């Protein structure tokens, strides 16, 4: 405890104490709410909405609303919110992060602020870490909302639903286990036992009614993953009709596993991209070449930064092997391409390992999420890294892609008017939460005291010795009938330990990305006596480990308590302390006994990278065998200090990415605002007309002044005459000559007005001739022009960002340079959009209305969550889906050419 805390008191305790009086008010209301019938309880929702409309605030309604939700939970789920869960709900309603230990019921806690804030009608979003949890939580908690008259939507990858207990099986409206057991159905007990055996809660898919994305967002409360919300936002801003947009605003979001989503996932921006025509042959060429290079003679590896660099000797060897110079003047474009392919092939070979970073399944390279250990099908690393890994593994090399739209999670979630989160581990990243999202963390007390024993780390000389010692310890505990959970950092280590346990004759379950389908079943039974479970990272698994299994056997549960509860072992420290704490948090839930300890070796990545030489020399000097450990709290503290340094490094990297993306974010908002205005003009023709005529007037001035920049006014006027004759052959251009006798300023004003009148006459005539078709075609042209030039701008900004980094060598701040350059480029973008859109609209002819028949939006899009490239940063991870583009469509101007050949760049 710090000196300031001793003097001023614990700020967290003060924050919790401030909430306790509200909990008291909620408890006082409980008897009155209990007396209500089911119909009267449901009617409270309309009552609350009426009170809101009359001027009361959500805070005024809070005690009544929370008491109502608590009663609905008791009647539907057989669960009553504890007082500490009410505290968590209050923290979430206030827009804070509630840190609640594993097993404290965070899923149930979220129902309190969700119900209250959904009453306002702006849409309540609950963000989960995977599709399964979004379905499970929506169906599980949906019973409460349904009993109170609220609708629940679910967003999954390429699918969306509404929770509807009457859909598919209208007789089974209640999922409450107790009520099912008491029902007249003779199979109720069997069904209930089967459901409990495969997890804390089985998703009844019959109750999920498929609907459109727009309908799912139209529900009072919507559950979905962070990726789906982010991609839907980007897709909405690529739509060509307002009715194709799905989201309806960003009022309030509660983020489950908030540290995983807002910190871990925030390292990789979301990207929508389209396939490019890059050949895969170079990837294959360099993939065969790279194994012939030797480390460290030909290249160096920086594992801390996850980067590789060629040495002079390595460059000479590569040039000899490919017969070309890598850094040859006069051929910069080809040199850059060759160096890019070489670096990505080298990174794929040296830094990205099979069964740790990815698996090969059905001829595809599938990324393994480093934080959760789950497979991420469809996602791809960017910048050609994924293609390099594909070439390394000998599977088909997919095409590279081009960015159409992108946003970081930081900037997406900061759009919400109110944001909150919940997790078991947030305090270690409290500084980042406040700095980036303005979110404060409140640590909520546990319902029962935590009596788990956390032992100091054991450090071994070698990994082999570590696994031998761990296997002996597991065997001892298994013979004593104690349940054991072992956490590993990769699939490879997971399977290696499993092989050792098999040799020792220890029965066990293995859980990793290769068999994640049985995740809930395996975790649900990990608390049985004698159970041994070997699992990869357990962040966000979403299933509690209960003594005696699930459903719990009271006799078995008591046996587990008698042998010290669940024993958790970690085989390595993770880079983030939170992941280690999440593993520890699996033991000691709800006041249960438990034991945790980490078994480390000097060959572990973290130990090896962050200096284990001194410990190694000491162990060798003392002659300590490889399977005998040293146990020292100083070693544990040194490891935690190294983890804190890594967390700081990642924080700086994310902050650096965000500083650059903040510049792009302002431009993104401006472009999306422009698109929204055009979309709104589809139902308000005056708005569209006003925008087109405004563009015409502005461009008339630009065109007039640009022609006056010729060597003489006469030459400029003649050039302008040719331009206008081609555009409007019937126009009377004799008045142009009057500008010859004026000074430059007056001539500019005169010509601007004259050209503006011609543009206006052309537009009026086309409106009269084409009617609605002209308005529809104009809207499509504006949207297509914005999209296509924005796509080019994203590419240009990306290249410019790479180039400004080199300016630091000239003592210039890259961020300042990036901001200055981006302003200039954005002005050019706006001018290009206006110019090309107007030219296309002015040339609309009889063929133009066909433009309105085109598909709205881009084709063959790739949705990715991909990391922006910071210096020496690792690449990313994208996901695929389908949508629409326009570069190969017929140009809306009616020329008959493809857009990219006519008005596209």
């Amino acid at each position: 405890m710090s000196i300031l805390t001793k003097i001023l008191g614990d700020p967290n305790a003060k924050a919790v104490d401030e909430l306790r009086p509200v909990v008291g008010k909620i408890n006082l209301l409980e008897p009155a709410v209990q007396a209500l019938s089911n119909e009267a309880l449901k009617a409270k929702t309309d009552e609350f909405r009426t009170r809101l409309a009359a001027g009361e605030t959500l805070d005024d309604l809070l005690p009544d609303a929370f008491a109502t939700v608590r009663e609905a939970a008791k009647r539907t789920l057989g669960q009553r919110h504890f007082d500490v869960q009410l505290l968590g709900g209050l923290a979430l309603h206030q827009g804070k992060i509630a840190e609640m230990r594993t097993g404290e019921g965070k899923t149930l806690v979220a129902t309190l602020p969700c119900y209250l804030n959904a009453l306002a009608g702006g849409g309540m979003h609950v963000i989960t870490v995977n599709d399964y949890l979004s379905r499970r939580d929506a169906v599980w908690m949906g019973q409460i909302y349904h009993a109170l008259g609220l609708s629940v939507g679910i967003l999954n990858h390429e699918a969306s639903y509404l929770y509807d207990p009457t859909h598919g099986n209208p007789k089974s409206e209640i999922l409450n286990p107790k009520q099912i057991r008491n029902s007249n159905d003779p199979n109720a007990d069997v069904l209930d036992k089967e459901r409990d055996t495969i997890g804390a809660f089985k998703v009844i898919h019959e109750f999920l009614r498929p609907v459109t994305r727009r309908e799912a967002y139209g529900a009072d409360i919507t559950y979905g993953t962070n990726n789906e919300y982010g991609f839907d936002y980007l897709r909405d801003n690529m739509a060509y009709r307002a009715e194709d947009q799905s989201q309806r605003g960003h009022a309030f979001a509660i983020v489950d596993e908030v540290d995983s989503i807002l910190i871990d996932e925030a390292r990789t921006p979301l990207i929508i991209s389209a396939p490019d025509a890059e050949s895969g042959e170079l990837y294959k060429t360099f993939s065969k070449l790279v194994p012939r290079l030797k480390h460290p003679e030909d290249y160096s590896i920086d594992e801390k930064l996850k980067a590789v660099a060629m040495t002079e000797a390595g460059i000479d060897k590569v040039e000899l092997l490919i017969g070309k110079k890598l850094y040859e003047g006069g051929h910069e474009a080809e040199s850059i391409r060759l160096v890019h392919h070489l670096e990505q092939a080298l990174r794929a070979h040296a830094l990205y390992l099979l069964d740790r970073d990815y698996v090969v399944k059905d001829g595809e390279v599938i990324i393994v999420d480093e934080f959760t250990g789950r497979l991420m099908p469809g996602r791809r690393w960017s910048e050609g890294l994924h293609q390099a890994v594909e070439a390394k593994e000998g599977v088909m090399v997919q095409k590279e892609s081009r960015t159409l739209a992108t946003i970081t999670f930081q900037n997406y979630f900061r759009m919400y008017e109110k944001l909150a989160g919940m997790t078991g581990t947030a305090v270690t990243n409290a500084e980042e939460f406040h700095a980036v999202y303005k979110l404060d963390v409140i640590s909520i007390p546990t319902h029962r005291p935590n009596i788990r024993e956390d032992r100091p780390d054991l450090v071994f000389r070698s990994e082999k010795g570590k696994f031998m010692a761990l296997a002996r310890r597991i065997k001892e505990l298994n013979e004593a009938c104690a349940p054991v959970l072992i956490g590993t950092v990769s699939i490879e280590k997971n399977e290696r330990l499993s092989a050792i346990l098999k040799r020792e004759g220890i029965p066990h379950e293995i859980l990793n990305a290769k068999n994640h389908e049985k995740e809930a079943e395996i975790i649900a039974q990990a608390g049985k006596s004698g159970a041994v479970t070997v699992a990869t990272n357990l962040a966000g698994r979403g299933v509690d480990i209960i003594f005696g299994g699930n459903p719990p056997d009271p006799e078995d549960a008591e046996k587990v308590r008698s042998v010290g509860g669940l024993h958790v072992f970690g085989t390595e420290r993770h880079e983030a302390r939170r992941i280690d704490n999440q593993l520890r948090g699996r033991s000691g839930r709800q006041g249960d006994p438990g034991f945790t300890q980490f078994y480390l070796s000097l060959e572990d990545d973290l130990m090896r990278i962050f200096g284990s030489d001194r410990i190694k020399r000491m162990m060798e000097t003392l002659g300590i065998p490889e399977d005998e450990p040293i146990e020292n709290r100083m070693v544990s503290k040194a490891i935690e200090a190294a983890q804190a340094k890594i967390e700081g490094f990642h924080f700086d990297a994310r902050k650096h990415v965000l500083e650059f993306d903040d510049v792009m974010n302002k431009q993104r908002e401006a472009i999306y605002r422009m698109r929204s205005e055009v979309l709104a003009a589809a139902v308000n023709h005056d708005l569209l007309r006003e925008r087109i005529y405004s563009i015409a007037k502005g461009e008339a001035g630009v065109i007039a002044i640009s022609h006056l920049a010729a060597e003489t006014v006469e030459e400029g006027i003649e050039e302008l005459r040719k331009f206008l004759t081609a555009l409007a052959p019937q126009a009377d251009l004799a008045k142009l000559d009057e500008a010859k006798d004026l000074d430059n300023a007056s001539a500019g004003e005169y010509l601007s007005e004259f050209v503006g009148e011609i543009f206006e006459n052309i537009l009026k005539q086309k409106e009269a001739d084409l009617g609605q078709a002209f308005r529809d075609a104009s809207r499509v042209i504006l949207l297509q022009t914005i999209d296509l030039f924005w796509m080019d701008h994203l590419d240009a900004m990306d290249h410019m960002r790479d180039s400004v980094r080199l300016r630091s060598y000239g003592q210039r701040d890259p961020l300042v340079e990036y901001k200055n350059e981006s302003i200039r480029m954005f002005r050019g973008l706006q001018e290009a959009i206006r110019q090309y859109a107007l030219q296309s609209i002015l040339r609309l002819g009889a063929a133009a209305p066909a433009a309105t028949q085109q598909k709205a939006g881009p084709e063959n899009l790739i949705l990715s969550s991909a990391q922006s490239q910071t210096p020496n940063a690792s690449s990313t991870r994208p996901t695929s889906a389908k949508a629409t583009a326009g570069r190969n469509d017929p140009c809306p101007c009616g020329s008959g050419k493809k857009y990219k050949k006519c008005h596209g760049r």
Side-chain angles (χ1 to χ4, degrees), residues 262-263 267 410 428-437 643-659:
L262 295 191
I263 291 181
R267 288 161 64 177
Q410 289 99 326
T428 52
N429 290 90
E431 179 189 355
E432 183 167 355
F433 282 126
H434 184 76
V436 176
Y437 303 100
Q643 289 175 307
K645 284 180 184 176
I646 298 172
E647 289 166 4
F649 169 76
H650 288 316
F651 178 23
D652 290 341
R654 287 188 292 269
K655 193 163 66 172
H656 185 72
V657 170
L658 186 59
E659 286 171 344

mmCIF file of all heavy atoms in Angstrom, residues 262-263 267 410 428-437 643-659:
data_model
loop_
_atom_site.group_PDB
_atom_site.id
_atom_site.type_symbol
_atom_site.label_atom_id
_atom_site.label_comp_id
_atom_site.label_asym_id
_atom_site.label_seq_id
_atom_site.Cartn_x
_atom_site.Cartn_y
_atom_site.Cartn_z
ATOM 1 N N LEU A 262 -10.582 -4.363 -25.819
ATOM 2 C CA LEU A 262 -10.126 -2.976 -25.971
ATOM 3 C C LEU A 262 -8.614 -2.818 -25.879
ATOM 4 O O LEU A 262 -8.085 -1.750 -26.193
ATOM 5 C CB LEU A 262 -10.789 -2.078 -24.915
ATOM 6 C CG LEU A 262 -12.307 -1.919 -25.018
ATOM 7 C CD1 LEU A 262 -12.787 -0.807 -24.106
ATOM 8 C CD2 LEU A 262 -12.752 -1.651 -26.448
ATOM 9 N N ILE A 263 -7.915 -3.866 -25.456
ATOM 10 C CA ILE A 263 -6.451 -3.758 -25.373
ATOM 11 C C ILE A 263 -5.774 -4.768 -26.293
ATOM 12 O O ILE A 263 -5.065 -4.393 -27.219
ATOM 13 C CB ILE A 263 -5.975 -3.903 -23.918
ATOM 14 C CG1 ILE A 263 -6.418 -2.667 -23.124
ATOM 15 C CG2 ILE A 263 -4.462 -4.062 -23.849
ATOM 16 C CD1 ILE A 263 -6.008 -2.637 -21.696
ATOM 17 N N ARG A 267 -4.727 -3.975 -30.902
ATOM 18 C CA ARG A 267 -3.449 -3.899 -31.612
ATOM 19 C C ARG A 267 -3.640 -4.113 -33.107
ATOM 20 O O ARG A 267 -2.734 -3.862 -33.898
ATOM 21 C CB ARG A 267 -2.485 -4.956 -31.059
ATOM 22 C CG ARG A 267 -1.974 -4.632 -29.667
ATOM 23 C CD ARG A 267 -1.421 -5.844 -28.938
ATOM 24 N NE ARG A 267 -0.255 -6.407 -29.573
ATOM 25 C CZ ARG A 267 0.434 -7.435 -29.071
ATOM 26 N NH1 ARG A 267 0.047 -7.983 -27.936
ATOM 27 N NH2 ARG A 267 1.482 -7.913 -29.697
ATOM 28 N N GLN A 410 -10.046 1.307 -31.159
ATOM 29 C CA GLN A 410 -10.071 2.464 -30.267
ATOM 30 C C GLN A 410 -11.027 3.531 -30.791
ATOM 31 O O GLN A 410 -11.879 4.036 -30.072
ATOM 32 C CB GLN A 410 -8.667 3.070 -30.118
ATOM 33 C CG GLN A 410 -7.708 2.205 -29.320
ATOM 34 C CD GLN A 410 -6.809 1.400 -30.217
ATOM 35 O OE1 GLN A 410 -7.212 0.978 -31.290
ATOM 36 N NE2 GLN A 410 -5.574 1.187 -29.784
ATOM 37 N N THR A 428 -4.465 -3.950 -13.849
ATOM 38 C CA THR A 428 -3.098 -3.835 -14.362
ATOM 39 C C THR A 428 -3.028 -2.926 -15.587
ATOM 40 O O THR A 428 -1.959 -2.441 -15.937
ATOM 41 C CB THR A 428 -2.520 -5.214 -14.734
ATOM 42 O OG1 THR A 428 -3.434 -5.887 -15.599
ATOM 43 C CG2 THR A 428 -2.269 -6.051 -13.496
ATOM 44 N N ASN A 429 -4.164 -2.692 -16.267
ATOM 45 C CA ASN A 429 -4.181 -1.823 -17.441
ATOM 46 C C ASN A 429 -5.054 -0.593 -17.241
ATOM 47 O O ASN A 429 -5.523 0.011 -18.206
ATOM 48 C CB ASN A 429 -4.671 -2.598 -18.668
ATOM 49 C CG ASN A 429 -3.665 -3.629 -19.127
ATOM 50 O OD1 ASN A 429 -3.708 -4.769 -18.680
ATOM 51 N ND2 ASN A 429 -2.740 -3.246 -20.004
ATOM 52 N N ALA A 430 -5.254 -0.220 -15.971
ATOM 53 C CA ALA A 430 -6.126 0.914 -15.663
ATOM 54 C C ALA A 430 -5.640 2.202 -16.327
ATOM 55 O O ALA A 430 -6.440 3.016 -16.805
ATOM 56 C CB ALA A 430 -6.216 1.100 -14.143
ATOM 57 N N GLU A 431 -4.321 2.378 -16.381
ATOM 58 C CA GLU A 431 -3.768 3.602 -16.981
ATOM 59 C C GLU A 431 -4.165 3.723 -18.455
ATOM 60 O O GLU A 431 -4.581 4.785 -18.921
ATOM 61 C CB GLU A 431 -2.238 3.595 -16.857
ATOM 62 C CG GLU A 431 -1.580 4.820 -17.478
ATOM 63 C CD GLU A 431 -0.061 4.699 -17.547
ATOM 64 O OE1 GLU A 431 0.496 3.711 -17.034
ATOM 65 O OE2 GLU A 431 0.560 5.600 -18.139
ATOM 66 N N GLU A 432 -4.050 2.615 -19.188
ATOM 67 C CA GLU A 432 -4.389 2.657 -20.616
ATOM 68 C C GLU A 432 -5.880 2.860 -20.826
ATOM 69 O O GLU A 432 -6.291 3.594 -21.730
ATOM 70 C CB GLU A 432 -3.921 1.375 -21.302
ATOM 71 C CG GLU A 432 -4.173 1.376 -22.795
ATOM 72 C CD GLU A 432 -3.450 0.268 -23.532
ATOM 73 O OE1 GLU A 432 -2.653 -0.463 -22.894
ATOM 74 O OE2 GLU A 432 -3.664 0.130 -24.741
ATOM 75 N N PHE A 433 -6.713 2.206 -20.020
ATOM 76 C CA PHE A 433 -8.152 2.389 -20.144
ATOM 77 C C PHE A 433 -8.534 3.864 -19.985
ATOM 78 O O PHE A 433 -9.371 4.384 -20.720
ATOM 79 C CB PHE A 433 -8.898 1.549 -19.105
ATOM 80 C CG PHE A 433 -9.003 0.090 -19.457
ATOM 81 C CD1 PHE A 433 -8.563 -0.887 -18.570
ATOM 82 C CD2 PHE A 433 -9.537 -0.309 -20.669
ATOM 83 C CE1 PHE A 433 -8.653 -2.228 -18.889
ATOM 84 C CE2 PHE A 433 -9.640 -1.655 -20.991
ATOM 85 C CZ PHE A 433 -9.197 -2.620 -20.100
ATOM 86 N N HIS A 434 -7.906 4.528 -19.023
ATOM 87 C CA HIS A 434 -8.243 5.929 -18.786
ATOM 88 C C HIS A 434 -7.665 6.824 -19.886
ATOM 89 O O HIS A 434 -8.340 7.730 -20.381
ATOM 90 C CB HIS A 434 -7.717 6.378 -17.420
ATOM 91 C CG HIS A 434 -8.123 7.788 -17.078
ATOM 92 N ND1 HIS A 434 -9.406 8.107 -16.666
ATOM 93 C CD2 HIS A 434 -7.428 8.959 -17.128
ATOM 94 C CE1 HIS A 434 -9.479 9.417 -16.467
ATOM 95 N NE2 HIS A 434 -8.299 9.950 -16.739
ATOM 96 N N ALA A 435 -6.420 6.551 -20.286
ATOM 97 C CA ALA A 435 -5.750 7.404 -21.272
ATOM 98 C C ALA A 435 -6.431 7.330 -22.642
ATOM 99 O O ALA A 435 -6.573 8.349 -23.325
ATOM 100 C CB ALA A 435 -4.278 7.009 -21.392
ATOM 101 N N VAL A 436 -6.853 6.134 -23.043
ATOM 102 C CA VAL A 436 -7.396 5.958 -24.389
ATOM 103 C C VAL A 436 -8.910 6.112 -24.427
ATOM 104 O O VAL A 436 -9.460 6.769 -25.315
ATOM 105 C CB VAL A 436 -6.998 4.574 -24.950
ATOM 106 C CG1 VAL A 436 -7.645 4.343 -26.317
ATOM 107 C CG2 VAL A 436 -5.488 4.466 -25.055
ATOM 108 N N TYR A 437 -9.623 5.521 -23.448
ATOM 109 C CA TYR A 437 -11.084 5.476 -23.509
ATOM 110 C C TYR A 437 -11.776 6.323 -22.443
ATOM 111 O O TYR A 437 -13.002 6.353 -22.409
ATOM 112 C CB TYR A 437 -11.558 4.023 -23.358
ATOM 113 C CG TYR A 437 -10.985 3.082 -24.377
ATOM 114 C CD1 TYR A 437 -9.904 2.261 -24.062
ATOM 115 C CD2 TYR A 437 -11.522 2.995 -25.662
ATOM 116 C CE1 TYR A 437 -9.369 1.382 -24.999
ATOM 117 C CE2 TYR A 437 -10.992 2.120 -26.600
ATOM 118 C CZ TYR A 437 -9.907 1.319 -26.263
ATOM 119 O OH TYR A 437 -9.384 0.453 -27.185
ATOM 120 N N GLN A 643 7.298 -8.554 -17.385
ATOM 121 C CA GLN A 643 5.975 -8.494 -18.000
ATOM 122 C C GLN A 643 5.456 -7.059 -18.053
ATOM 123 O O GLN A 643 4.866 -6.639 -19.050
ATOM 124 C CB GLN A 643 4.992 -9.369 -17.211
ATOM 125 C CG GLN A 643 5.242 -10.860 -17.375
ATOM 126 C CD GLN A 643 4.316 -11.676 -16.485
ATOM 127 O OE1 GLN A 643 4.239 -11.446 -15.279
ATOM 128 N NE2 GLN A 643 3.619 -12.632 -17.059
ATOM 129 N N ALA A 644 5.692 -6.311 -16.967
ATOM 130 C CA ALA A 644 5.253 -4.912 -16.932
ATOM 131 C C ALA A 644 5.939 -4.104 -18.027
ATOM 132 O O ALA A 644 5.327 -3.235 -18.654
ATOM 133 C CB ALA A 644 5.542 -4.308 -15.561
ATOM 134 N N LYS A 645 7.230 -4.404 -18.272
ATOM 135 C CA LYS A 645 7.965 -3.707 -19.338
ATOM 136 C C LYS A 645 7.353 -4.018 -20.708
ATOM 137 O O LYS A 645 7.197 -3.135 -21.548
ATOM 138 C CB LYS A 645 9.437 -4.124 -19.324
ATOM 139 C CG LYS A 645 10.258 -3.499 -18.203
ATOM 140 C CD LYS A 645 11.704 -3.974 -18.281
ATOM 141 C CE LYS A 645 12.518 -3.440 -17.101
ATOM 142 N NZ LYS A 645 13.909 -3.972 -17.124
ATOM 143 N N ILE A 646 7.019 -5.289 -20.922
ATOM 144 C CA ILE A 646 6.421 -5.683 -22.204
ATOM 145 C C ILE A 646 5.064 -5.005 -22.376
ATOM 146 O O ILE A 646 4.733 -4.499 -23.453
ATOM 147 C CB ILE A 646 6.260 -7.213 -22.283
ATOM 148 C CG1 ILE A 646 7.628 -7.890 -22.192
ATOM 149 C CG2 ILE A 646 5.572 -7.621 -23.581
ATOM 150 C CD1 ILE A 646 7.548 -9.403 -22.069
ATOM 151 N N GLU A 647 4.266 -5.000 -21.294
ATOM 152 C CA GLU A 647 2.961 -4.341 -21.363
ATOM 153 C C GLU A 647 3.127 -2.866 -21.712
ATOM 154 O O GLU A 647 2.361 -2.310 -22.506
ATOM 155 C CB GLU A 647 2.223 -4.493 -20.038
ATOM 156 C CG GLU A 647 1.733 -5.916 -19.778
ATOM 157 C CD GLU A 647 1.299 -6.134 -18.334
ATOM 158 O OE1 GLU A 647 1.318 -5.160 -17.564
ATOM 159 O OE2 GLU A 647 0.962 -7.268 -17.983
ATOM 160 N N GLY A 648 4.153 -2.233 -21.113
ATOM 161 C CA GLY A 648 4.436 -0.825 -21.415
ATOM 162 C C GLY A 648 4.826 -0.636 -22.869
ATOM 163 O O GLY A 648 4.396 0.326 -23.522
ATOM 164 N N PHE A 649 5.618 -1.573 -23.384
ATOM 165 C CA PHE A 649 6.033 -1.498 -24.782
ATOM 166 C C PHE A 649 4.811 -1.607 -25.702
ATOM 167 O O PHE A 649 4.657 -0.836 -26.658
ATOM 168 C CB PHE A 649 7.029 -2.626 -25.092
ATOM 169 C CG PHE A 649 7.323 -2.797 -26.552
ATOM 170 C CD1 PHE A 649 8.158 -1.912 -27.215
ATOM 171 C CD2 PHE A 649 6.742 -3.837 -27.269
ATOM 172 C CE1 PHE A 649 8.412 -2.073 -28.566
ATOM 173 C CE2 PHE A 649 6.997 -3.997 -28.617
ATOM 174 C CZ PHE A 649 7.835 -3.113 -29.267
ATOM 175 N N HIS A 650 3.921 -2.574 -25.406
ATOM 176 C CA HIS A 650 2.726 -2.742 -26.235
ATOM 177 C C HIS A 650 1.798 -1.531 -26.116
ATOM 178 O O HIS A 650 1.154 -1.129 -27.099
ATOM 179 C CB HIS A 650 1.978 -4.012 -25.855
ATOM 180 C CG HIS A 650 2.678 -5.270 -26.285
ATOM 181 N ND1 HIS A 650 3.253 -5.412 -27.523
ATOM 182 C CD2 HIS A 650 2.900 -6.454 -25.636
ATOM 183 C CE1 HIS A 650 3.786 -6.611 -27.636
ATOM 184 N NE2 HIS A 650 3.599 -7.264 -26.497
ATOM 185 N N PHE A 651 1.704 -0.955 -24.922
ATOM 186 C CA PHE A 651 0.900 0.254 -24.726
ATOM 187 C C PHE A 651 1.428 1.373 -25.609
ATOM 188 O O PHE A 651 0.675 2.061 -26.310
ATOM 189 C CB PHE A 651 0.928 0.653 -23.242
ATOM 190 C CG PHE A 651 0.162 1.924 -22.917
ATOM 191 C CD1 PHE A 651 -0.849 2.389 -23.730
ATOM 192 C CD2 PHE A 651 0.470 2.648 -21.765
ATOM 193 C CE1 PHE A 651 -1.560 3.543 -23.416
ATOM 194 C CE2 PHE A 651 -0.229 3.802 -21.450
ATOM 195 C CZ PHE A 651 -1.240 4.255 -22.274
ATOM 196 N N ASP A 652 2.756 1.561 -25.610
ATOM 197 C CA ASP A 652 3.362 2.602 -26.447
ATOM 198 C C ASP A 652 3.093 2.340 -27.921
ATOM 199 O O ASP A 652 2.830 3.270 -28.691
ATOM 200 C CB ASP A 652 4.877 2.660 -26.200
ATOM 201 C CG ASP A 652 5.211 3.221 -24.823
ATOM 202 O OD1 ASP A 652 4.336 3.876 -24.228
ATOM 203 O OD2 ASP A 652 6.339 2.979 -24.332
ATOM 204 N N ALA A 653 3.173 1.051 -28.321
ATOM 205 C CA ALA A 653 2.928 0.705 -29.728
ATOM 206 C C ALA A 653 1.484 1.017 -30.106
ATOM 207 O O ALA A 653 1.213 1.584 -31.172
ATOM 208 C CB ALA A 653 3.232 -0.769 -29.969
ATOM 209 N N ARG A 654 0.527 0.656 -29.215
ATOM 210 C CA ARG A 654 -0.883 0.941 -29.501
ATOM 211 C C ARG A 654 -1.140 2.438 -29.522
ATOM 212 O O ARG A 654 -1.905 2.941 -30.337
ATOM 213 C CB ARG A 654 -1.778 0.258 -28.456
ATOM 214 C CG ARG A 654 -1.883 -1.243 -28.615
ATOM 215 C CD ARG A 654 -2.928 -1.828 -27.693
ATOM 216 N NE ARG A 654 -2.558 -1.754 -26.302
ATOM 217 C CZ ARG A 654 -1.899 -2.690 -25.638
ATOM 218 N NH1 ARG A 654 -1.523 -3.786 -26.261
ATOM 219 N NH2 ARG A 654 -1.615 -2.568 -24.367
ATOM 220 N N LYS A 655 -0.491 3.153 -28.615
ATOM 221 C CA LYS A 655 -0.655 4.607 -28.566
ATOM 222 C C LYS A 655 -0.119 5.245 -29.843
ATOM 223 O O LYS A 655 -0.698 6.183 -30.384
ATOM 224 C CB LYS A 655 0.071 5.168 -27.328
ATOM 225 C CG LYS A 655 -0.286 6.611 -27.010
ATOM 226 C CD LYS A 655 0.121 6.988 -25.592
ATOM 227 C CE LYS A 655 1.616 6.976 -25.418
ATOM 228 N NZ LYS A 655 2.047 7.526 -24.119
ATOM 229 N N HIS A 656 1.011 4.693 -30.329
ATOM 230 C CA HIS A 656 1.623 5.201 -31.555
ATOM 231 C C HIS A 656 0.687 4.976 -32.746
ATOM 232 O O HIS A 656 0.473 5.878 -33.571
ATOM 233 C CB HIS A 656 2.954 4.478 -31.784
ATOM 234 C CG HIS A 656 3.733 4.981 -32.949
ATOM 235 N ND1 HIS A 656 4.375 6.201 -32.937
ATOM 236 C CD2 HIS A 656 3.974 4.442 -34.168
ATOM 237 C CE1 HIS A 656 4.979 6.396 -34.094
ATOM 238 N NE2 HIS A 656 4.743 5.336 -34.862
ATOM 239 N N VAL A 657 0.109 3.769 -32.826
ATOM 240 C CA VAL A 657 -0.850 3.464 -33.897
ATOM 241 C C VAL A 657 -2.034 4.421 -33.814
ATOM 242 O O VAL A 657 -2.502 4.952 -34.823
ATOM 243 C CB VAL A 657 -1.340 2.004 -33.784
ATOM 244 C CG1 VAL A 657 -2.513 1.750 -34.721
ATOM 245 C CG2 VAL A 657 -0.210 1.039 -34.107
ATOM 246 N N LEU A 658 -2.519 4.659 -32.589
ATOM 247 C CA LEU A 658 -3.697 5.492 -32.390
ATOM 248 C C LEU A 658 -3.427 6.943 -32.762
ATOM 249 O O LEU A 658 -4.286 7.618 -33.341
ATOM 250 C CB LEU A 658 -4.153 5.402 -30.930
ATOM 251 C CG LEU A 658 -5.469 6.103 -30.596
ATOM 252 C CD1 LEU A 658 -6.614 5.545 -31.418
ATOM 253 C CD2 LEU A 658 -5.776 5.965 -29.106
ATOM 254 N N GLU A 659 -2.239 7.461 -32.455
ATOM 255 C CA GLU A 659 -1.905 8.843 -32.802
ATOM 256 C C GLU A 659 -1.991 9.066 -34.307
ATOM 257 O O GLU A 659 -2.507 10.085 -34.764
ATOM 258 C CB GLU A 659 -0.498 9.187 -32.305
ATOM 259 C CG GLU A 659 -0.409 9.391 -30.807
ATOM 260 C CD GLU A 659 1.031 9.511 -30.330
ATOM 261 O OE1 GLU A 659 1.960 9.139 -31.080
ATOM 262 O OE2 GLU A 659 1.223 9.984 -29.190
#
